Amino acid sequence: GIQVEQSPPDLILQEGANSTLRCNFSDSVNNLQWFHQNPWGQLINLFYIPSGTKQNGRLSATTVATERYSLLYISSSQTTDSGVYFCAGKPNSGGSNYKLTFGKGTLLTVNP
Amino acid sequence: GAVVSQHPSWVICKSGTSVKIECRSLDFQATTMFWYRQFPKQSLMLMATSNEGSKATYEQGVEKDKFLINHASLTLSTLTVTSAHPEDSSFYICSARDRQGPTYEQYFGPGTRLTVT
């Protein structure tokens, strides 16, 4: 199966700071998604972004499919942004049923 | 739109008993749902793919006789943990894809926290 590497594993920010989270894939993927897991465990969909760039408020994401990586940008961070951020994708080759492989996540802590 | 619910949100059971967890897609139909398991401070691990009207597909190392999956309709999949033991204590999460959606985006339920005593 594919390997999904997320960096950094941990990130501590002061409120108002900007950050970039990265996701590397060992093979080409589609169905690439970014999630935020809140303190209660709920995964919140941030972006479905197989390629290109999308923006939603203070968050934006860019996927360069040919280079097998994706970036999540958080601007003007707030304490409510704290939590774990996951990326996940489905390999282009092989597999079925849209199975997603998850990275290990980035634990973001935003201090007031 | 695209809401997935799980019930119960948490459950405590005694060792040796069975527990059923429901996953429902509230505003869309899903021919395929997925069941994940997450241990504290770890990532999500796919356990099985639930297919409407047919048998589930289990990932390597997952005991299908222990984790029974039934996908009886286009909006409901159930996971039954049979003869639960303390090592089965974990956070169980389901996901689903809108069969009529324009993309392959998956939506996740809020999870069920199982504690086996």
Side-chain angles (χ1 to χ4, degrees):
Chain A
I2 63 167
Q3 306 301 314
V4 183
E5 182 180 328
Q6 288 190 243
S7 60
D10 299 275
L11 183 60
I12 300 175
L13 300 174
Q14 285 298 122
E15 202 167 23
N18 302 327
S19 63
T20 300
L21 281 58
R22 186 178 179 105
C23 184
N24 289 333
F25 293 87
S26 60
D27 202 350
S28 60
V29 297
N30 54 30
N31 302 0
L32 198 157
Q33 294 186 240
W34 282 96
F35 302 93
H36 175 211
Q37 188 169 36
N38 67 21
W40 297 272
Q42 169 81 63
L43 266 76
I44 299 167
N45 287 33
L46 297 178
F47 294 101
Y48 173 82
I49 186 165
S51 63
T53 297
K54 290 185 177 180
Q55 180 159 7
N56 184 2
R58 295 182 296 103
L59 302 182
S60 64
T62 295
T63 295
V64 183
T66 53
E67 300 289 326
R68 304 196 302 270
Y69 73 88
S70 185
L71 303 173
L72 178 68
Y73 307 95
I74 305 174
S75 64
S76 304
S77 58
Q78 301 176 359
T79 56
T80 51
D81 294 332
S82 296
V84 183
Y85 289 80
F86 290 105
C87 64
K90 174 195 171 301
N92 271 338
S93 58
S96 62
N97 286 332
Y98 322 110
K99 292 197 299 185
L100 292 175
T101 299
F102 278 76
K104 293 185 176 181
T106 292
L107 175 59
L108 174 65
T109 303
V110 182
N111 293 320
Chain B
V3 178
V4 177
S5 71
Q6 281 185 242
H7 178 80
S9 55
W10 61 269
V11 57
I12 302 173
C13 70
K14 292 186 182 297
S15 188
T17 61
S18 296
V19 174
K20 180 184 284 189
I21 303 170
E22 292 186 349
C23 176
R24 293 182 185 272
S25 55
L26 298 185
D27 51 2
F28 64 96
Q29 292 182 330
T31 51
T32 304
M33 293 183 174
F34 301 89
W35 287 96
Y36 296 83
R37 186 174 181 177
Q38 186 180 32
F39 291 107
K41 300 190 184 300
Q42 294 190 22
S43 186
L44 280 73
M45 182 190 76
L46 180 66
M47 299 175 63
T49 302
S50 173
N51 305 298
E52 188 266 338
S54 65
K55 291 183 178 180
T57 304
Y58 291 83
E59 295 300 300
Q60 192 172 8
V62 177
E63 300 176 60
K64 59 181 179 182
D65 294 332
K66 180 165 192 61
F67 299 100
L68 301 179
I69 292 173
N70 187 338
H71 194 148
S73 76
L74 289 172
T75 59
L76 173 63
S77 175
T78 60
L79 169 68
T80 301
V81 182
T82 63
S83 186
H85 292 289
E87 57 264 31
D88 298 324
S89 298
S90 189
F91 191 54
Y92 293 87
I93 310 172
C94 71
S95 73
R97 172 191 168 264
D98 183 351
R99 68 192 287 249
Q100 295 180 323
T103 72
Y104 297 118
E105 185 171 4
Q106 289 187 26
Y107 301 91
F108 284 74
T112 297
R113 199 164 302 278
L114 170 63
T115 302
V116 185
T117 61

